[in-house]
Amino acid sequence: MQNRALEMEVFVCVAESGSFSNAAEKLGLSPSAISKLVARLEQRLGVQLVVRSTRSLRLTSEGEAFHSLSRSILQDISVVEAQVARQSESAAGVLKVSCNVPFGVHAVCPLIPQFLAENTGMKIDLELSDEPVDLILERTDLAIRTGSLQDSSMKTRRLLNSPRHVVASPEYLRLHGSPGHPNDLRKHNCLTIAGKPQHSTWNFRDVDDSGVGIVVPVAGNLAVNNGETLRCFALAGLGIARLSEFHVGRDLEEGRLVALLTKYDAQEAEPISAIYSAQSHVPQRIRRFLDFLVANLADSNRSK
């Protein structure tokens, strides 16, 4: 498809500057390129727009009409471009966010009222789902996911590293006792994530032997498919679970769960990241939301 906007811009410049050479200088093109573009435009339209002479040029009546309409169209294009640029650089408009359910419920949703209060020109379209999202097809600005990410063409930004804790309810500990060493977990009912073998092997640091690693295979009578369900069963006293800070931080603070084997903690953490389109210019509304999450999630994590 021919570049009609360029043809219009060249023709308007020729008409208003009075010559091909003046238009060429203003547009940074050669006079021959200007001449070819105008000739191509006339051929496509099937009319003569310019009457040329060795010293000057004048517009035909068709040329005057085309100049007037083209100038108006180019002005409209400039207005549209300026509006879009201003919108991109302002923290305004709709921001569509996808977030996995547990992190959304426990960490993101509590922050949304503060963000909207501080950014009154913005609207959040938040979708909580554990299903993968195609940012392009689903017109989503950014997605927040936990765990290691697969390689992709998208940009990523680490929001938080959430420490993992081994936890149990006071009721479970009252009935079954508290493990004093990681190897004691072999005698306890440990709740796991189904279909993910890495969640059935827990790592610890042996403080009694120069800090070397301890790897403990765990098992129990219940496996589930997600961390939030695991948390619910741990709260119900069914067994010992290993969950991230964002899942159980409030439960630990308020005594519904108890952290176990803390001196053997291997300092493992679950990465939380934002994924967004790898474009050269990231809109201000996305940058503002990412900066807000990084600052406030870090503050929340430090306060626990």
Side-chain angles (χ1 to χ4, degrees), residues 187-220:
K187 299 178 291 185
H188 282 269
N189 195 48
C190 295
L191 312 178
T192 59
I193 300 291
K196 295 185 178 180
Q198 68 271 24
H199 287 271
S200 297
T201 303
W202 297 355
N203 298 319
F204 298 90
R205 180 176 60 93
D206 190 350
V207 295
D208 300 325
D209 189 13
S210 304
V212 299
I214 303 175
V215 179
V216 181
V218 297

Side-chain angles (χ1 to χ4, degrees), residues 1 9 42 51 60 64 66 96 131 135 140 152 183 193-194 227-229 271 285-286:
M1 182 180 291
E9 184 178 6
E42 290 179 320
V51 178
T60 63
E64 290 176 351
F66 190 77
K96 186 171 181 180
E131 295 299 319
L135 299 184
T140 300
S152 75
N183 285 324
I193 300 291
E228 188 60 18
T229 304
R285 66 183 185 279
I286 295 179

Side-chain angles (χ1 to χ4, degrees), residues 159-175:
L159 302 178
L160 184 69
N161 288 315
S162 184
R164 291 188 173 100
H165 302 290
V166 176
V167 299
S169 70
E171 177 64 13
Y172 176 87
L173 298 176
R174 184 183 67 80
L175 294 175

Side-chain angles (χ1 to χ4, degrees), residues 24 26 32-33 51 56 66-67 80-81 92-93 113 117 119 122 137 150 194 219 267 289-290:
K26 287 184 177 181
S32 62
V51 178
S56 63
F66 190 77
H67 168 254
V80 169
E81 289 179 343
N119 298 272
M122 288 188 62
L137 290 179
Q150 296 180 348
Q267 304 298 313
F289 190 63
L290 288 174

